[in-house]
């Protein structure tokens, strides 16, 4: 158990809909990262927050947005969903404000299926 | 173009045997290279982290090597166990992109009895 929690575990929704994925980091970690892992593809970095502020942006679509709240939990919002958005979405947390030598601890993931 | 390429794509070995997984990268400069193990449907777990100045790092039966000149890394697994069956992912910390992690597609290892 990494100490990172994600909810829900599974999510099935229709095209055009909007969903929110939630992540609680390990106690004491200020950084939260979101990743997307599509079938047969590697992990893609989406976005990082550090202590409530956006720190780095990766391959995140404009239809997607995220935020980190004062209690450090984070939410990833996916809107106008398309079939291609079906994937595993992972959250990771770290003490590190950047992506230096600190470990990133990954949550169990949310499996999103868009039908 | 994928900046981190891993080979082989998949591998089947017998329990107790050793194996070596390869990672070639074009990311430069980089600050560190990591190997992760990902069980099916679960989040990745870190095995090793090496800075650009390190040549080798071990974690139990896992030994990672790094040659920054040739931009190659390998992960050697000794005396494989059934529980080693997983995807092994090579990850490079790309300084050019503000220290973002660039992931390889992974090598799927299956250990059979």
């Amino acid at each position: 158990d990494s100490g990172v929690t994600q909810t829900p575990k599974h999510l099935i929704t229709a095209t055009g809909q909007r969903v929110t994925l939630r992540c609680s980091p390990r106690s004491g970690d200020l950084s939260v990262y979101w990743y997307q892992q599509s079938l047969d593809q590697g992990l893609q970095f989406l976005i990082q927050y550090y202590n409530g502020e956006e720190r780095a942006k990766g391959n995140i679509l404009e239809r997607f947005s995220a935020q980190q709240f004062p209690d450090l939990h984070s939410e990833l919002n996916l809107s106008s969903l398309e079939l291609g958005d079906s994937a595993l979405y992972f959250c990771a947390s770290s003490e590190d404000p950047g992506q230096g030598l600190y470990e990133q601890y990954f949550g169990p993931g949310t499996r999103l299926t868009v039908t | 173009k994928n900046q981190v390429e891993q080979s082989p794509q998949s591998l089947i070995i017998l329990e107790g045997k050793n194996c070596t997984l390869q990672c070639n990268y074009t990311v430069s400069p980089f600050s560190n290279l990591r190997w992760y193990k990902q069980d099916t449907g679960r989040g990745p777990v870190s095995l090793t982290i090496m800075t650009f100045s390190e040549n080798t790092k071990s974690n139990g039966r896992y030994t990672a090597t790094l040659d920054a000149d040739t931009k190659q890394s390998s992960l050697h697994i000794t005396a494989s166990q059934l529980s080693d069956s997983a995807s092994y992912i090579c990850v490079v910390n790309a300084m050019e992109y503000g220290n973002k992690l660039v992931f390889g597609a992974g090598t799927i290892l299956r250990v059979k009895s």
Side-chain angles (χ1 to χ4, degrees), chain A:
Chain A
D1 184 2
S2 65
V4 178
T5 61
Q6 289 187 248
T7 57
K9 193 163 184 167
H10 300 279
L11 199 49
I12 301 174
T13 188
T15 54
Q17 295 299 305
R18 172 190 169 96
V19 297
T20 297
L21 312 183
R22 182 189 168 105
C23 167
S24 293
R26 288 188 330 149
S27 176
D29 285 354
L30 298 180
S31 269
V32 170
Y33 309 81
W34 285 98
Y35 294 91
Q36 179 191 57
Q37 187 173 38
S38 302
L39 193 64
D40 296 332
Q41 288 195 19
L43 281 150
Q44 298 286 326
F45 168 67
L46 295 179
I47 197 164
Q48 178 204 357
Y49 278 83
Y50 178 76
N51 203 20
E53 293 191 5
E54 183 182 305
R55 180 58 63 102
K57 220 167 188 174
N59 304 320
I60 188 166
L61 300 172
E62 284 191 12
R63 300 183 285 109
F64 296 179
S65 65
Q67 54 184 327
Q68 186 179 27
F69 295 87
D71 67 352
L72 301 178
H73 91 270
S74 178
E75 293 181 356
L76 178 67
N77 301 297
L78 314 176
S79 62
S80 303
L81 285 167
E82 302 174 359
L83 294 177
D85 297 328
S86 296
L88 265 170
Y89 290 85
F90 288 103
C91 165
S93 77
S94 167
E95 300 175 47
D96 192 8
Q99 293 190 29
L101 277 177
Y102 287 84
E103 289 281 357
Q104 284 194 23
Y105 296 89
F106 283 78
T110 292
R111 182 174 293 280
L112 173 66
T113 302
V114 182
T115 61

